[in-house]
């Protein structure tokens, strides 16, 4: 393990799945396992210090109440609380989007690019399984993984669809009550430590083209989310460190969607968006060196007029989105590498036409495919319960 001289090391963050247990119960459990509970962290510096030393100790995080912090390399994969879905191994930064979206219990929520589903399960926990999470993803395999993870986490308010979010009709009566949307689209993954290394090995021009295409897709996904007529709050997040995928996307969207404004995301968070446009400090950034997390970016949008948006404005924006989408959709499927690796499943290489074809074919199976996976998973749930 690295010492202070090697720079900060990422602790093991553990999110308590409040659908199945509580922070108090988990704290008592670990105390019985011989761990010492050091209370709630008071500063990031305290966590930095804490993470330098091994040992059976843990803290409660200072920003995210249902997050516990253990020394790096603490392995919970065989722990019975983990296997029973009471604990979710999730980086602190990746807990920010659901925390910030903060849908009220019973709300209808869309998770636009959802698999493998850690944020979906966090959203369901915040909803206390009441209301609805419509979760979309293009990748069949990742959705199957997600279905298993959600089952283990006790999530029952989800509706999964193997569908391009950009093709979801905001006028569909099914989504008329959607008030909160999370957009966590495919990105370069440059905030993930190993991804950063991989990216630096890529040729400059290739990287810049890829970033450009990613950024265009991210903008369209975010714009599409803002076109749902009842949506009030939207969170946009990436695990990228690039301005092009973060502040630039947000700036363009604010210019297009003047009926939305940025809200200061978690004011107590120390690192803000890069100063590239007025108000960019409302966004937040995360990094290993500054916040002891993976590299991450979050922007929180809120509708200015809390009443419903004019249907003409919605329709105009959707026409723009549809035209852009039709032009760009085929390439966009290449950008799943970082996310797929994070999910522990096989990824398609950028430009690998055979894999692209597979994805296209799989997508034709669409909703039925996922619904049948979900049914199978439900059967499995009973088996797990019985055994
Ligand atoms: C960053 S990952 C999402 C991680 C997920 N939110 C979580 O916390 O587990 C991005 C996901 O977007 C999916 N995706 C890419 N393009 C999409 C599209 N047009 N519609 C829906 N999902 C898409 C990818 O397959 C990938 O699973």
């Amino acid at each position: 393990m690295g010492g202070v001289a090697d720079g900060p090391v990422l602790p093991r963050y553990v999110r308590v799945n409040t659908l199945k247990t509580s922070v108090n119960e988990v704290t008592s459990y670990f105390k019985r396992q011989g761990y010492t509970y050091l209370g709630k962290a008071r500063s990031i510096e305290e966590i930095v210090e804490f993470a330098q030393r091994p040992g059976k100790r843990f803290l409660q995080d200072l920003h995210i109440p249902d997050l516990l912090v253990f020394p790096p390399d603490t392995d919970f994969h065989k722990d019975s609380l983990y296997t029973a879905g009471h604990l979710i191994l999730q980086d602190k930064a990746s807990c920010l989007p659901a925390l910030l979206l903060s849908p009220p219990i019973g709300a209808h929520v869309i998770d636009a690019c959802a698999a493998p589903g850690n944020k979906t399960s966090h959203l369901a926990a915040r909803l206390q399984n009441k209301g609805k999470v419509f979760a979309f993803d293009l990748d069949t395999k990742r959705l199957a993984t997600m279905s298993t993870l959600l089952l283990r986490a006790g999530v029952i308010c989800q509706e999964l669809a193997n569908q391009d979010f950009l093709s979801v009709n905001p006028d569909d009566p099914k989504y008329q009550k959607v008030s909160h949307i999370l957009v966590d689209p495919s990105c370069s993954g440059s905030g993930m430590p190993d991804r950063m290394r991989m990216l630096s090995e890529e040729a400059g021009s290739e990287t810049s083209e890829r970033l450009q295409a990613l950024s265009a897709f991210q903008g369209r996904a975010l714009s599409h989310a803002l076109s749902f007529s009842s949506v009030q709050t939207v969170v946009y997040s990436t695990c990228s460190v690039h301005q092009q995928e973060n502040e630039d996307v947000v700036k363009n969207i604010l210019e297009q969607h003047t009926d939305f404004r940025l809200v200061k995301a978690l004011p107590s968070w120390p690192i803000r968006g890069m100063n590239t446009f007025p108000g960019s400090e409302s966004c937040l950034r995360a990094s290993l060196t500054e916040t002891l997390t993976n590299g991450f970016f979050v922007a929180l949008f809120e509708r200015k007029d809390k009443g419903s948006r004019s249907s003409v404005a919605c329709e105009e924006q959707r026409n723009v989105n549809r035209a852009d989408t039709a032009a760009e959709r085929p390439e966009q499927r290449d950008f799943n590498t970082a996310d797929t690796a994070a999910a522990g499943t096989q990824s398609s290489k950028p430009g690998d036409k055979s894999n692209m074809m597979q994805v296209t074919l799989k997508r034709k199976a669409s909703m039925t495919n996922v619904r049948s996976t979900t049914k199978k998973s439900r059967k499995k749930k009973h088996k797990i319960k019985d055994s």
Side-chain angles (χ1 to χ4, degrees):
M1 195 196 328
V4 184
D6 303 324
V9 275
L10 199 61
R12 158 65 70 201
Y13 290 109
V14 175
R15 178 166 66 77
V16 174
N17 178 10
T18 54
L19 288 177
K20 290 205 160 184
T21 184
S22 66
V23 172
N24 282 346
E25 278 172 4
V26 172
T27 302
S28 304
Y29 167 84
F30 280 118
K31 283 185 188 166
R32 290 197 300 278
Q33 302 289 312
Y35 283 84
T36 304
Y37 177 52
L38 303 176
K40 185 172 174 175
R42 276 153 298 181
S43 63
I44 292 176
E45 291 69 33
E46 185 182 346
I47 305 181
V48 171
E49 185 72 22
F50 165 87
Q52 303 295 339
R53 290 184 289 129
K56 290 188 89 172
R57 301 166 301 124
F58 67 107
L59 290 162
Q60 186 183 16
D61 185 64
L62 73 155
H63 295 108
I64 300 173
D66 47 358
L67 195 70
L68 300 176
V69 192
F70 291 81
D73 304 330
T74 314
D75 188 359
F76 289 116
H77 285 94
K78 289 191 183 142
D79 191 283
S80 59
L81 280 196
Y82 170 71
T83 53
H86 292 223
L87 306 178
I88 314 278
L89 305 181
Q90 187 171 359
D91 181 58
K92 174 171 172 173
S94 129
C95 297
L96 293 169
L99 179 84
L100 288 168
L101 191 64
S102 197
I105 294 165
H108 282 202
V109 180
I110 285 181
D111 191 347
C113 299
N118 274 343
K119 296 182 192 80
T120 316
S121 87
H122 198 186
L123 286 170
R126 296 201 66 86
L127 292 175
Q128 296 180 9
N129 258 337
K130 298 184 183 97
K132 199 86 180 165
V133 183
F134 298 100
F136 300 94
D137 204 284
L138 269 182
D139 190 316
T140 317
K141 211 166 172 182
R142 284 166 67 89
L143 266 183
T145 307
M146 174 165 174
S147 190
T148 310
L149 293 180
L150 295 186
L151 173 64
R152 189 165 69 190
V155 175
I156 53 166
C157 62
Q158 82 280 24
E159 190 171 315
L160 306 191
N162 189 189
Q163 188 179 347
D164 182 347
F165 172 61
L166 300 175
S167 74
V168 177
N169 180 4
D171 294 325
D172 188 329
K174 196 172 169 179
Y175 308 121
Q176 289 317 294
K177 288 206 283 182
V178 169
S179 54
H180 292 69
I181 303 186
L182 172 57
V183 182
D184 184 43
S186 294
C187 71
S188 62
S190 50
M192 314 278 281
D194 46 345
R195 292 283 146 192
M196 199 111 74
R197 278 198 297 278
M198 212 186 88
L199 203 75
S200 64
E201 285 159 17
E202 283 182 26
S205 62
E206 197 185 315
T207 301
S208 98
E209 273 169 23
R210 185 167 178 256
L211 286 183
Q212 210 177 343
L214 278 169
S215 171
F217 165 65
Q218 292 152 353
R220 281 196 304 284
L222 181 51
S223 181
H224 193 59
L226 297 182
S227 76
F228 283 70
S229 54
S230 299
V231 73
Q232 301 296 324
T233 312
V234 172
V235 162
Y236 171 71
S237 60
T238 74
C239 57
S240 164
V241 298
H242 298 296
Q243 178 188 328
Q244 212 174 334
E245 295 179 87
N246 298 329
E247 288 84 357
D248 290 359
V249 171
V250 171
K251 177 176 181 282
N252 286 339
I253 287 299
L254 285 171
E255 284 164 6
Q256 288 170 32
H257 293 265
T258 50
D259 45 348
F260 280 84
R261 66 171 151 243
L262 275 183
V263 178
K264 189 159 189 179
L266 203 58
S268 63
W269 192 260
I271 312 303
R272 312 309 310 181
M274 283 162 68
N275 188 13
T276 57
F277 64 92
S280 60
E281 70 285 353
S282 291
C283 308
L284 69 77
R285 275 181 168 257
S287 72
L288 177 62
T289 50
E290 291 165 310
T291 54
L292 210 64
T293 63
N294 287 330
F296 211 78
F297 175 88
V298 188
L300 174 60
F301 294 83
E302 183 186 78
R303 189 183 288 283
K304 282 180 188 166
D305 167 10
K306 285 272 185 186
S308 192
R309 190 178 172 197
S310 118
S311 56
V312 176
C314 284
E315 189 50 37
E316 275 171 7
Q317 189 57 51
R318 275 173 220 149
N319 287 337
V320 173
N321 292 348
R322 277 187 209 118
D324 288 352
T325 306
E328 303 269 358
R329 204 175 296 147
E331 306 160 56
Q332 181 273 321
R333 271 169 227 133
D334 286 355
F335 307 135
N336 295 336
T337 10
D339 322 317
T340 313
T345 55
Q346 278 191 338
S347 65
S348 51
K349 290 197 186 81
D352 181 340
K353 296 256 174 6
S354 60
N355 277 322
M356 279 170 65
M357 182 67 85
Q358 265 185 352
V359 172
T360 316
L361 289 174
K362 279 178 196 158
R363 283 186 55 226
K364 292 214 166 120
S366 195
M367 310 274 278
T368 8
N369 210 345
V370 173
R371 290 220 172 104
S372 65
T373 314
T374 315
K375 270 188 197 153
K376 270 185 215 151
S377 306
R378 288 212 179 102
K379 277 186 198 152
K380 209 165 147 196
K381 182 177 181 177
H382 294 303
K383 268 194 201 148
I384 291 172
K385 238 179 158 182
D386 295 345
S387 61

